[in-house]
Amino acid sequence: MNTFINWMNQNFTPKMNKITRNVWVSSIQEAIMATLPLILVGSLITLISILNNYFSNMPNFSPITTFSFGLISIYIALLVPYFIMEKKKKNDRKIISGLTGVSLFLMLLVPKLTDDGGITFTLERFGGNGMFVALIVGLLVGAFMYLFSKFSFFKGSSSLPDFIIIWFDTIIPITILLLFGWLFTFQLNVDLYDLILKAFEPVTVIAQSFTGFVFISFLGVFFYSFGISAWILYPIIFPIWLEAIQENIDGAAQNIHTMETLTAWVWIGGMGSTLPLVLMMLFLAKSSQLKAISKVTIVPSIFNINEPVIFGAPVAFNPILMIPMWLNGLILPAITYIVLSLEWVTIPERLFQLWYMPVGISSILINSDFRGLFLVAVVVVVSWLIWFPFFKVYDMQQFKKEQEQ
């Protein structure tokens, strides 16, 4: 085990961190992070709208969700090329790159143009359903704009203002990109939006399967146990989450693999289900060090913030505590998937990505199904049983060290 951990620490983790810092990956990550406040606004409106079930005279707040979370794809199409240019040190082109991303994305939505000057879009294509398309558009625009940033019509000694030089130097890439969209959308009548979604359909199908749900959930926990942020997976899994919950909202809820499912029943105190461990350290630990850590980490853990315990106990790179964290990453998703697929608990059908809401509260808010609380109790007990023997070994080990000192 120690040999494996040393290899992970010296070889695997640095390579993963290098991927995370890659311009293209980190640009997607930052674009998603920049849109989180709008997603959270949609989640808050979902929370408020629950009151409509009890107060019939409440106003309809759903348009706020439509114009926040409901436009998430257009924000991504703007932000990805913007951050690519920023990270490539092409700050003079980042705004026009973002605007070009929006322009090409809107073209690929296959709008209907009328003779009287009207234009009609399918609204659902702006939301989570269009995330993969927005990411592809953003990366394509970013690559083109960076490629052509190496070319200029003007010499370095030109007396023209910089903004005029940028105008002329970006004409070619913008024209090529929009000609690309025009050709397929308006001349060949090819729905590239639909083609891109179909290309990614196998990914979403696998992700929504039992194996996909358990494996992806475990992968995030596995990386986290080595101090690698789960954000490394977000360029792939975040679009899957948003598309899945959007489909659940629009029709009969069938997609189990959503962030709502994970926050309601799988991440008990944070990724890896560390709240039971913190409670053990607080009430059962003999080690004064673990007791002290638990007092600092208990409140964050209740609100699903577990970085303090992951790096404070520590769990990361700890041969004893990593194993139960991995087991939680496999067993809890498996239990949750089976229960939801058997319809013993209602599959989430509301946008609710307020991940910092304590487990139990979030579980009831995402579907108003009180059976979900029984599932919470089951996964907490199972997680407790998984952590307990490993905690006892580690606590005794730390206690002996303190006694020797």
Side-chain angles (χ1 to χ4, degrees):
M1 183 67 175
N2 286 329
T3 302
F4 173 68
I5 290 177
N6 288 334
W7 178 83
M8 291 291 293
N9 190 23
Q10 296 171 13
N11 295 281
F12 183 79
T13 300
K15 290 179 181 178
M16 289 297 100
N17 287 331
K18 186 176 180 180
I19 291 173
T20 303
R21 291 191 295 268
N22 176 277
V23 167
W24 309 96
V25 174
S26 61
S27 294
I28 294 175
Q29 291 172 336
E30 291 198 21
I32 292 173
M33 290 179 69
T35 62
L36 282 180
L38 291 156
I39 296 174
L40 296 179
V41 166
S43 299
L44 285 171
I45 295 304
T46 298
L47 180 60
I48 295 171
S49 297
I50 294 174
L51 297 176
N52 284 28
N53 298 328
Y54 307 99
F55 304 100
S56 57
N57 58 343
M58 281 191 64
N60 179 17
F61 292 105
S62 61
I64 297 178
T65 300
T66 300
F67 289 94
S68 54
F69 169 68
L71 300 179
I72 191 72
S73 291
I74 196 170
Y75 306 144
I76 295 296
L78 183 147
L79 290 170
V80 170
Y82 178 94
F83 283 120
I84 290 173
M85 291 296 100
E86 184 175 77
K87 293 178 180 299
K88 290 288 189 179
K89 309 301 182 185
K90 302 295 180 181
N91 290 316
D92 52 359
R93 299 163 191 259
K94 61 185 182 181
I95 293 178
I96 189 61
S97 297
L99 294 176
T100 304
V102 172
S103 182
L104 180 58
F105 178 72
L106 291 176
M107 198 177 290
L108 296 188
L109 295 184
V110 192
K112 300 295 186 293
L113 305 176
T114 61
D115 294 335
D116 60 356
I119 182 169
T120 304
F121 292 93
T122 302
L123 183 60
E124 68 176 13
R125 292 192 165 196
F126 287 99
N129 291 332
M131 279 283 287
F132 280 120
V133 180
L135 290 174
I136 296 298
V137 167
L139 292 172
L140 176 64
V141 171
F144 254 80
M145 297 300 282
Y146 177 66
L147 178 66
F148 279 88
S149 69
K150 301 176 182 180
F151 165 82
S152 178
F153 288 107
F154 306 92
K155 296 181 179 180
S157 59
S158 174
S159 60
L160 288 172
D162 290 343
F163 69 89
I164 293 180
I165 293 175
I166 295 300
W167 287 353
F168 283 96
D169 286 348
T170 55
I171 285 176
I172 292 178
I174 293 173
T175 302
I176 292 174
L177 288 165
L178 296 186
L179 277 173
F180 169 81
W182 167 82
L183 176 64
F184 280 91
T185 302
F186 297 106
Q187 299 303 306
L188 301 178
N189 294 318
V190 174
D191 190 341
L192 282 180
Y193 177 99
D194 192 50
L195 288 178
I196 293 173
L197 287 188
K198 287 181 178 178
F200 281 96
E201 191 172 335
V203 177
T204 58
V205 170
I206 292 171
Q208 291 301 331
S209 68
F210 173 81
T211 303
F213 180 61
V214 173
F215 175 72
I216 293 173
S217 299
F218 169 75
L219 202 59
V221 170
F222 180 77
F223 285 153
Y224 197 21
S225 70
F226 287 99
I228 302 171
S229 172
W231 273 101
I232 193 173
L233 299 174
Y234 272 40
I236 298 174
I237 61 174
F238 207 79
I240 292 172
W241 288 344
L242 292 186
E243 180 184 7
I245 195 62
Q246 185 70 66
E247 290 179 356
N248 286 357
I249 294 170
D250 294 339
Q254 297 179 336
N255 297 315
I256 292 174
H257 192 177
T258 63
M259 189 175 184
E260 285 74 10
T261 299
L262 292 165
T263 56
W265 297 292
V266 179
W267 296 343
I268 310 298
M271 185 176 290
S273 187
T274 53
L275 180 58
L277 173 64
V278 176
L279 292 173
M280 289 177 197
M281 292 193 301
L282 183 62
F283 296 109
L284 303 178
K286 293 183 178 180
S287 164
S288 57
Q289 177 187 340
L290 294 184
K291 272 193 172 295
I293 290 171
S294 69
K295 292 175 182 177
V296 175
T297 59
I298 183 62
V299 173
S301 293
I302 291 172
F303 294 96
N304 300 313
I305 300 169
N306 67 346
E307 284 83 358
V309 69
I310 291 294
F311 299 104
V315 177
F317 291 103
N318 186 324
I320 298 174
L321 296 183
M322 290 168 72
I323 295 174
M325 188 174 177
W326 295 346
L327 291 173
N328 276 314
L330 288 169
I331 296 173
L332 300 191
I335 293 172
T336 300
Y337 192 97
I338 291 171
V339 170
L340 293 182
S341 63
L342 292 173
E343 298 183 356
W344 292 347
V345 174
T346 305
I347 297 173
E349 55 187 7
R350 295 172 181 156
L351 175 69
F352 195 80
Q353 300 202 358
L354 301 176
W355 51 266
Y356 44 80
M357 295 288 284
V359 171
I361 296 176
S362 60
S363 307
I364 196 64
L365 290 176
I366 63 166
N367 59 11
S368 299
D369 186 349
F370 285 92
R371 294 176 299 176
L373 297 178
F374 290 102
L375 179 55
V376 171
V378 169
V379 295
V380 167
V381 169
V382 170
S383 181
W384 182 282
L385 294 174
I386 290 171
W387 279 112
F388 186 74
F390 296 93
F391 157 75
K392 292 295 290 183
V393 170
Y394 185 59
D395 178 46
M396 187 57 64
Q397 184 184 88
Q398 295 301 105
F399 180 69
K400 286 182 178 180
K401 286 182 181 180
E402 292 169 4
Q403 294 291 63
E404 291 172 0
Q405 292 173 359

